[in-house]
Amino acid sequence: MKITQNWLREYVDFPWSTEELVERLTMLGLEVEGVQKLGGEFAGIVVAQVVTREKHPNADKLSVCRVNDGQGERQIVCGAQNFQAGDKVPLILPGASLPLKAGDTAPFTIKVGKIRSVESHGMLCSHEELGIDPEAIGHARADGLLLLKADARVGQSFAEYLGRAGSDVVLDLEVTPNRPDLNSLIGIAREVAALTGNPLKLPAAELPSAGPGSSVTEWVSVRLEAPDLCPRYSARLVRGVRIGPSPDWLRQALEKVGLRSINNVVDVSNYVMLETGQPLHTFDYRLLHRAADGAPATVVVRRATGGETFTTLDGRVHSLGADQLLIADEQKGIAIAGIMGGQNTEIRPDTVDVLIESAYFLPTNIRRTSKALGLRTDASYRFERGADVGVGDYASRRCAALILATAGGELAGGVVDAYPEPLKAREITLRHDRCQILLGVGMADDVQAQFLTRLGIQEVTRPEMRGAWSIWRVPSWRVDLKREADLVEELARLHGVDRLPSTPPRCVLGTHPFDAIFDQLAVVRNRLTSLGLDEAQGQTLIGGAAARLVTADMVPLANPLSSDMDTLRPSLLPGLLDTLRHNLTRGNRDVQLFEIGRVFTQANGVAKEGWRVAVALTGARSPGFWTGEEREAKCDVFDIKGVVESLIELLGLRGVVYQRRPEATPLFLESATLALGGKLALGQLGQVQPRLAKQYDLRDPVLLAELDLDVLLQRRGAGASFKALPAFPGSRRDIAMLVPESTSHDAVQSVVRQIKPANLETVELFDVFRGKHVPEGQKSLAYAFIYRAADRTLKDEEVTAAHARLVEAFRTQLAAQIRE
Amino acid sequence: MSTLLDRIDAVKQAALAELRAARELPALDRAKGAFLGAEGQFTTLMKELGTLAKELRPLAGKAVNAAKQELEAQLAVRREELELSAALPKEPTDFTLPGRPRRLGKQHPLTQVTADIVKAFRKLGFAVADGPEIEDEYHCFDALNTPADHPARDSQDTFFLDVPSRPLLRTHTSSVQIRVMEKTPPPIRIIVPGRVFRRDNADATHNPTFHQIEGLYVDKGVTVGDLKGTVEAVFQDLLGNDVKLRFRPHYFSYTEPSLEIDFTNALVKKLGKDWLEIAGCGMVHPGVFEKVGYDPEVWSGWAFGFGIERIAMLRYGITDIRLFYENDTRFLRQF
């Protein structure tokens, strides 16, 4: 909502500077989003008339003009082509400066000078040079000079011509949706009045008494067929108007707040809407259907019949549904109620009789219709937030009075006001101690009463009867006041929320099951960063094609913004692939990332969400260094497995089995699943398909892993406990054996588990070798076994005996050839 | 006799000279062998002792032993010297060369900011709570006093999911207020960091996904004063002691009164502004309490919420929200 400071002063006095006004309104809850000072512009620019225009003797594209500036004639050289002698144009005089435009560092000042050896005493201006939008001030957009209206007074200052002579300030206010009453000058003035205690000055809406025999009822009747959607509809008629341009005060008032002047009648209805907040509509009465018998035209407020079409005055054709409200005559629709009028009855240059509509429509219905039709107007904006059912008649009278004043004509006496069931004012009980209880500040009963009264809220109880509580009647414009807490808020606003005391935080210990999980996630995050991984945060919304790399059970959006964000991520991996691509294309070749986040899958039509942790590695294993072989090493699958193992170890999970997938997947060239106890799925890890990596512009091997964090955290082991350090020396036995390629490390371990040699403490694989002295199809595995007893030093024979059983089992069960 | 004694001293002097002359450990070992080894000169001298007259032997033996001991001592000293110089690299180390880097990951800036906010609240007794990102209209809107057709629903354009019950992605963390109050009797003291979703095209200040943090406190006798006091404590913790807050009336459907919080400090002044909007808050609307079965006559409470990206952008001077979600490692490693 835009207002100007001078306009606001017409309704209420306030002793504040602009800065103070901005501050006070903001602290009342009316945030000021913009402040624009008007006036003081266009100094040294006047309305001038071209007397003669001759070709420049030394330049084809220039002309030399004699121009009357109101004081006398002067010679001007001009490069524009769109004018002729007699035209009125803006002239900037020598010594004056053009308005600053974006990018200007210093003003451009006009001097007397010679252009191609002809003197020029000033410059004729285009709209660009003046920095104004010609259409916004009702002029044609032209290539060349800004051509002024024929009736412009020569010698008048250009600022005066534009109606910006006096200084003023335009304020752009953010009105919250609960306060439709503040979409009006009077509503804002009422707030200022309540704060200052100064009276609200309502503008006069007195109407001349109509002559006998010209009652409006002879001309119009109203039939409410849908009183549920339109509880009140009133009509007035002004006959014999002359449509024409608006007087300067009216045009300027609208232009200052960004509305375009159209004609006197339409401008008046807009002006009164800004003043009162009540949207009004004016119809050309002549275009309403009247029966041949001369009976009054009937305005019908009815639901559209299904499929009924209607052309709004912007030329769009709408097909209406049965729950959309139409203003009609007996034959046709004439307006979509509360939103926009029809082309068939709009005010035209030859309109003579003007029908003024002032009505109240059900907010939810206007809102639905406006949304469904994609039609938003100043009127629908106000109706859907809740208009003031009580102000309709005042606004209608004010409108009629201003039409008579600006467009002439005669008023048909009285009003047709269909308001079958007047809405009852709401009454609210206020307990006077609620201020103390909710705001933490005591407020005397009579101060509370004074604040509410100033806002136009009326006390129902008599002041002398006031006890611990009082009852208040809410005025029709305050649709937001519904219960006691709302009145307390009004008291807080007028008291000043900045003046409410702060009290030190009180101590209650909160509890929530997630509190511990939040910390567990932090522990996981700390481990991963200490392993050298950077944390990523990806988009929750990804493309369906990327999601399908991982699963088909994903959750699509019903109303996506674009195809690359039409699905909830079923996994963190597609997002990480995207992130890798983003990095690689920007030259970050070595990327090691993890993400902790929620993913979404679908099972039997129900969407599920869960926490995951994922890791992505590509490029160099170690950060760059200036020597050593390690600097050439790229990440491989055992790098990512090392990260995964570190996490598993951190969470104290035992019995995690890695099972290689026999086949490639759409995502992975080679991969393994992780399961707890061989059954409970934990996640997967592997190397991305080179074909896919290429699509993502990734050149080095890409390793991905993703684990189900919900399961990991649920199954995490107990915290650390102390085990005594060994007191006796251990005994080490190394073994190297040739086994077939198909024999896994796990197979070796399971033999160990099965044999369970006495006093075996640890088994460590320290070499896997293929090549010299190892036949094709075989590999050499080297293990170190440490034997140790807790209570004594083991004898060599004991260890040898135990170890021999193990070696024998390797021979027989794994067909291992022990290398000496 | 005198010749043998004289020779002892001469051999000792020769041995000492050779020890000093040895420039590396093998030369030293050779010198040791030449004088003290089985074939060494001292061994020869010892053998010659037998040829001396009986009464002269002890004196000569003592002299040989003393010389040997001195030699051994010098040998040890020289060995240590040579070992030390052998340990030094051939060329002196260039200590201006960069060291071998260890890889250390960084937490995402949003994580770091969230952790700091959570820490500030936990000092005041708040527990971290959580709720689903997939929500229903009841918890996201209706229970928060924002019925269908309410104009306030407009500003939060919503993503709906294409599954039978047509759930939505929560547009604010306030839905968790309802979830928690439904399950837990008062008092309540929680904060809720989390992802929220609005149907905005991505630009420098919008991303369809972003993060909010919500605070809720319900107890007996909670007032606006308590809200202000808590918010001030938290923001001083987060933004420094020079931060000033301003509360002004606003509108949210689920609080009454509703306030917006502006803050200012040296940074804001540097941006050429007086105040920057940072959070919304208010006293929990009695209608919300009624929805979750709390008696608004007994309990009062406050709630507030703000955007985590906004805090992070202010703290680090980041001007494009999309950077948070691109995860360029050159960006991530700055924090």
Side-chain angles (χ1 to χ4, degrees):
Chain A
M1 173 84 190
K2 279 187 177 176
I3 64 168
T4 80
Q5 189 174 318
N6 291 349
W7 197 357
L8 184 62
R9 279 189 202 282
E10 291 180 23
Y11 310 100
V12 65
D13 293 325
F14 47 90
W16 305 321
S17 67
T18 301
E19 290 68 30
E20 282 173 302
L21 175 64
V22 166
E23 169 76 11
R24 302 288 181 140
L25 291 177
T26 301
M27 295 310 292
L28 275 171
L30 257 168
E31 197 185 344
V32 180
E33 293 188 315
V35 177
Q36 187 200 352
K37 295 201 158 77
L38 300 180
E41 317 158 275
F42 307 123
I45 303 177
V46 298
V47 175
Q49 187 166 31
V50 180
V51 181
T52 60
R53 177 185 173 187
E54 312 278 347
K55 200 180 99 40
H56 191 292
N58 306 323
D60 286 347
K61 291 193 173 156
L62 298 179
S63 44
V64 180
C65 312
R66 302 292 303 169
V67 170
N68 177 4
D69 64 8
Q71 310 278 322
E73 285 190 11
R74 53 175 70 227
Q75 175 171 298
I76 307 280
V77 177
C78 181
Q81 306 298 331
N82 67 326
F83 71 102
Q84 55 196 11
D87 281 346
K88 291 178 181 168
V89 292
L91 165 70
I92 180 163
L93 301 170
S97 303
L98 287 170
L100 277 178
K101 285 175 271 303
D104 286 0
T105 49
F108 181 67
T109 304
I110 304 299
K111 295 188 220 72
V112 177
K114 284 187 180 174
I115 300 172
R116 298 261 177 132
S117 58
V118 176
E119 274 196 8
S120 184
H121 295 260
M123 184 178 101
L124 306 181
C125 305
S126 67
H127 66 86
E128 286 111 343
E129 284 156 345
L130 296 167
I132 53 182
D133 174 7
E135 281 157 15
I137 54 164
H139 290 60
R141 184 177 294 280
D143 189 15
L145 301 183
L146 176 68
L147 299 181
L148 306 181
K149 293 181 177 162
D151 59 358
R153 188 161 60 74
V154 174
Q156 188 182 30
S157 84
F158 183 63
E160 230 172 274
Y161 169 79
L162 288 179
R164 298 190 195 165
S167 70
D168 200 350
V169 181
V170 180
L171 303 178
D172 193 356
L173 305 175
E174 187 204 339
V175 176
T176 54
N178 62 322
R179 291 294 304 271
D181 61 306
L182 298 183
N183 288 309
S184 70
L185 267 301
I186 291 174
I188 294 162
R190 190 179 284 116
E191 294 274 299
V192 173
L195 200 60
T196 56
N198 291 337
L200 179 68
K201 299 182 281 186
L202 284 181
E206 299 308 315
L207 293 175
S209 48
S214 81
S215 167
V216 66
T217 51
E218 291 168 28
W219 304 86
V220 192
S221 69
V222 171
R223 191 165 78 238
L224 292 188
E225 290 185 358
D228 54 331
L229 303 183
C230 174
R232 184 175 197 181
Y233 192 101
S234 77
R236 274 195 165 77
L237 184 66
V238 182
R239 298 173 53 221
V241 302
R242 233 183 38 246
I243 302 297
S246 290
D248 285 350
W249 68 265
L250 176 55
R251 179 173 58 82
Q252 288 162 13
L254 296 180
E255 284 171 356
K256 277 183 192 172
V257 298
L259 258 63
R260 268 168 72 180
S261 172
I262 295 167
N263 61 45
N264 46 9
V265 168
V266 173
D267 286 0
V268 162
S269 67
N270 282 331
Y271 184 86
V272 176
M273 174 180 74
L274 294 176
E275 218 178 24
T276 63
Q278 169 68 26
L280 299 159
H281 188 68
T282 48
F283 297 97
D284 185 333
Y285 175 79
R286 181 185 45 177
L287 301 174
L288 265 61
H289 171 76
R290 284 192 78 177
D293 61 4
T298 304
V299 174
V300 184
V301 183
R302 63 167 169 86
R303 287 177 162 81
T305 57
E308 186 168 359
T309 59
F310 182 73
T311 306
T312 42
L313 49 78
D314 57 0
R316 284 172 62 188
V317 181
H318 302 277
S319 174
L320 302 178
D323 236 354
Q324 296 176 337
L325 194 64
L326 206 57
I327 310 299
D329 61 20
E330 294 286 14
Q331 290 190 329
K332 61 185 182 294
I334 56 174
I336 297 177
I339 301 177
M340 195 181 271
Q343 242 175 9
N344 56 10
T345 49
E346 73 175 309
I347 302 293
R348 302 169 185 196
D350 60 352
T351 296
V352 179
D353 300 333
V354 176
L355 178 72
I356 304 167
E357 164 197 294
S358 180
Y360 175 85
F361 302 109
L362 193 72
T364 53
N365 181 261
I366 297 297
R367 184 172 168 72
R368 269 179 221 154
T369 304
S370 159
K371 247 189 152 169
L373 301 181
L375 205 54
R376 312 208 60 181
T377 61
D378 286 336
S380 71
Y381 176 83
R382 285 172 169 78
F383 279 126
E384 71 181 31
R385 279 164 171 70
D388 173 5
V389 71
V391 83
D393 185 58
Y394 169 78
S396 163
R397 278 187 284 126
R398 174 83 174 141
C399 180
L402 287 178
I403 288 177
L404 290 172
T406 59
E410 246 177 65
L411 185 72
V415 62
V416 181
D417 189 358
Y419 191 17
E421 280 183 61
L423 300 184
K424 268 197 79 176
R426 187 180 286 117
E427 289 183 357
I428 300 176
T429 301
L430 174 69
R431 288 164 295 173
H432 298 133
D433 62 353
R434 291 309 277 180
C435 257
Q436 181 70 54
I437 290 170
L438 287 173
L439 304 179
V441 68
M443 221 183 278
D445 296 358
D446 56 341
V447 172
Q448 298 187 23
Q450 189 189 27
F451 283 158
L452 296 180
T453 308
R454 281 185 189 175
L455 287 165
I457 307 168
Q458 286 178 329
E459 187 164 8
V460 178
T461 38
R462 287 208 308 276
E464 61 272 23
M465 303 286 287
R466 243 186 250 148
W469 49 268
S470 49
I471 299 177
W472 296 84
R473 182 174 298 134
V474 177
S476 56
W477 61 83
R478 287 304 299 269
V479 295
D480 61 314
L481 301 182
K482 291 174 182 148
R483 54 194 297 168
E484 188 182 38
D486 300 321
L487 294 187
V488 174
E489 180 178 48
E490 295 306 290
L491 298 175
R493 286 197 313 122
L494 289 188
H495 176 79
V497 293
D498 50 335
R499 290 175 52 221
L500 297 177
S502 298
T503 48
R506 308 191 320 177
C507 204
V508 163
L509 292 185
T511 55
H512 194 272
F514 184 74
D515 197 59
I517 296 174
F518 183 81
D519 289 336
Q520 290 157 15
L521 294 178
V523 168
V524 169
R525 204 175 274 123
N526 285 337
R527 167 62 59 103
L528 291 170
T529 51
S530 66
L531 291 174
L533 307 173
D534 293 316
E535 187 189 10
Q537 291 245 22
Q539 301 279 4
T540 296
L541 303 179
I542 64 173
R548 254 183 295 278
L549 284 173
V550 186
T551 177
D553 298 325
M554 56 212 192
V555 185
L557 286 180
N559 56 342
L561 280 165
S562 61
S563 64
D564 62 346
M565 283 197 167
D566 61 0
T567 305
L568 298 193
R569 58 181 179 190
S571 153
L572 303 174
L573 298 178
L576 282 175
L577 274 179
D578 246 347
T579 295
L580 291 183
R581 165 163 50 195
H582 178 90
N583 275 288
L584 270 283
T585 54
R586 278 158 184 79
N588 310 332
R589 301 181 50 183
D590 310 319
V591 187
Q592 306 198 3
L593 293 170
F594 75 96
E595 180 170 0
I596 291 174
R598 289 203 222 192
V599 302
F600 305 83
T601 50
Q602 185 176 173
N604 305 321
V606 178
K608 277 196 336 191
E609 53 190 285
W611 287 94
R612 295 264 178 96
V613 55
V615 179
L617 308 177
T618 190
R621 172 177 300 152
S622 310
F625 191 56
W626 39 270
T627 184
E629 282 173 25
E630 178 65 3
R631 62 186 160 166
E632 308 298 333
K634 303 282 186 193
C635 286
D636 65 24
V637 78
F638 290 102
D639 286 293
I640 202 153
K641 193 179 174 202
V643 172
V644 168
E645 283 171 333
S646 178
L647 258 191
I648 302 276
E649 181 257 0
L650 170 76
L651 297 171
L653 285 132
R654 285 159 187 280
V656 175
V657 176
Y658 297 80
Q659 173 116 45
R660 183 182 183 277
R661 285 199 181 102
E663 307 285 338
T665 72
L667 182 61
F668 288 117
L669 172 70
E670 208 185 5
S671 61
T673 57
L674 280 73
L676 198 60
K679 286 190 200 109
L680 184 60
L682 282 184
Q684 56 179 345
L685 62 84
Q687 180 180 346
V688 170
Q689 286 274 9
R691 204 169 352 112
L692 182 65
K694 214 167 165 188
Q695 282 171 29
Y696 278 87
D697 305 320
L698 306 171
R699 285 176 223 118
D700 290 331
V702 177
L703 296 317
L704 296 177
E706 185 172 42
L707 303 178
D708 185 324
L709 251 184
D710 293 324
V711 177
L712 285 183
L713 295 180
Q714 271 164 27
R715 295 304 187 98
R716 75 188 188 287
S721 66
F722 173 71
K723 243 178 22 198
L725 301 180
F728 297 92
S731 187
R732 173 171 168 154
R733 295 285 191 279
D734 285 3
I735 190 173
M737 55 189 173
L738 291 177
V739 291
E741 280 286 5
S742 60
T743 304
S744 67
H745 171 59
D746 196 44
V748 175
Q749 285 182 308
S750 71
V751 170
V752 176
R753 279 195 297 272
Q754 180 210 328
I755 300 296
K756 265 192 242 160
N759 298 311
L760 179 63
E761 187 183 59
T762 58
V763 184
E764 188 198 341
L765 172 70
F766 66 87
D767 191 38
V768 180
F769 180 74
R770 298 175 179 87
K772 215 174 172 189
H773 307 308
V774 177
E776 187 70 22
Q778 295 208 312
K779 60 190 171 189
S780 163
L781 302 177
Y783 289 89
F785 297 85
I786 308 263
Y787 293 86
R788 195 197 304 271
D791 55 350
R792 66 203 154 92
T793 302
L794 289 174
K795 290 194 195 106
D796 206 38
E797 309 87 84
E798 293 181 81
V799 175
T800 305
H803 192 61
R805 279 182 57 225
L806 189 57
V807 172
E808 189 50 33
F810 289 151
R811 277 207 185 93
T812 53
Q813 297 190 25
L814 302 176
Q817 251 182 288
I818 309 301
R819 304 172 83 198
E820 300 306 334
Chain B
M1 152 75 210
S2 65
T3 43
L4 186 62
L5 284 180
D6 291 345
R7 276 174 54 212
I8 292 172
D9 194 53
V11 171
K12 188 183 91 180
Q13 292 307 330
L16 286 175
E18 208 155 316
L19 290 188
R20 274 196 294 276
R23 291 270 162 259
E24 46 197 4
L25 288 167
L28 190 70
D29 285 335
R30 278 196 303 279
K32 181 187 173 190
F35 291 94
L36 298 173
E39 306 289 312
Q41 297 194 34
F42 275 94
T43 319
T44 314
L45 282 176
M46 287 298 272
K47 284 180 188 157
E48 282 182 31
L49 283 182
T51 67
L52 283 182
K54 216 173 192 173
E55 64 276 17
L56 288 177
R57 280 182 208 159
L59 186 67
K62 240 184 193 167
V64 174
N65 275 328
K68 265 178 80 177
Q69 270 173 24
E70 189 184 342
L71 215 55
E72 296 273 9
Q74 287 299 317
L75 183 72
V77 168
R78 187 61 187 151
R79 182 177 296 280
E80 201 165 308
E81 280 170 13
L82 289 182
E83 275 174 355
L84 208 67
S85 66
L88 276 176
K90 274 209 187 90
E91 295 300 324
T93 299
D94 177 1
F95 279 97
T96 65
L97 282 173
R100 187 173 274 111
R102 322 288 299 209
R103 192 183 273 280
L104 187 64
K106 289 296 191 82
Q107 298 202 355
H108 196 280
L110 292 177
T111 304
Q112 296 187 38
V113 170
T114 305
D116 288 347
I117 298 169
V118 165
K119 195 167 69 185
F121 277 104
R122 278 181 161 176
K123 285 181 195 169
L124 305 178
F126 284 78
V128 186
D130 183 34
E133 289 175 13
I134 296 179
E135 261 300 357
D136 50 41
E137 301 210 31
Y138 177 78
H139 289 90
C140 200
F141 297 119
D142 302 71
L144 288 163
N145 217 20
T146 319
D149 295 316
H150 193 288
R153 277 206 189 186
D154 248 12
S155 54
Q156 306 189 352
D157 214 350
T158 311
F159 283 117
F160 289 90
L161 305 186
D162 192 11
V163 293
S165 62
R166 223 179 145 70
L168 49 82
L169 290 175
R170 66 181 180 196
T171 58
H172 47 195
T173 41
S174 307
S175 51
V176 183
Q177 287 184 24
I178 304 297
R179 296 251 167 215
V180 171
M181 289 194 284
E182 279 174 344
K183 281 207 174 133
T184 324
I188 301 278
R189 201 162 169 87
I190 53 163
I191 39 159
V192 187
R195 285 194 168 196
V196 299
F197 307 88
R198 302 225 179 133
R199 211 166 159 276
D200 289 322
N201 279 305
D203 62 27
T205 54
H206 294 90
N207 191 61
T209 299
F210 60 102
H211 292 78
Q212 280 188 340
I213 195 155
E214 182 94 3
L216 174 69
Y217 176 36
V218 181
D219 201 348
K220 286 180 180 156
V222 179
T223 68
V224 174
D226 184 72
L227 163 61
K228 288 176 78 172
T230 306
V231 167
E232 280 163 10
V234 166
F235 278 109
Q236 274 174 9
D237 199 336
L238 280 177
L239 299 169
N241 281 330
D242 72 326
V243 73
K244 276 203 188 63
L245 297 186
R246 177 175 83 168
F247 294 78
R248 57 188 164 77
H250 198 70
Y251 169 69
F252 305 104
S253 56
Y254 39 97
T255 47
E256 187 79 29
S258 299
L259 307 172
E260 212 154 48
I261 306 169
D262 299 333
F263 86 104
T264 190
N265 60 8
L267 177 77
V268 175
K269 298 279 187 220
K270 225 160 89 188
L271 293 173
K273 308 220 163 136
D274 288 334
W275 296 99
L276 271 184
E277 194 176 306
I278 198 157
C281 62
M283 300 299 289
V284 179
H285 196 287
V288 173
F289 278 152
E290 283 157 8
K291 283 268 186 357
V292 297
Y294 288 10
D295 183 349
E297 293 300 314
V298 177
W299 302 100
S300 60
W302 53 253
F304 80 88
F306 52 88
I308 294 176
E309 277 83 352
R310 187 168 168 76
I311 305 274
M313 289 169 90
L314 279 169
R315 173 188 275 193
Y316 300 120
I318 297 166
T319 50
D320 192 328
I321 195 173
R322 288 168 293 197
L323 284 168
F324 290 118
Y325 295 92
E326 284 173 354
N327 300 302
D328 191 311
T329 52
R330 293 165 302 175
F331 173 78
L332 297 176
R333 294 205 179 135
Q334 289 182 30
F335 306 101

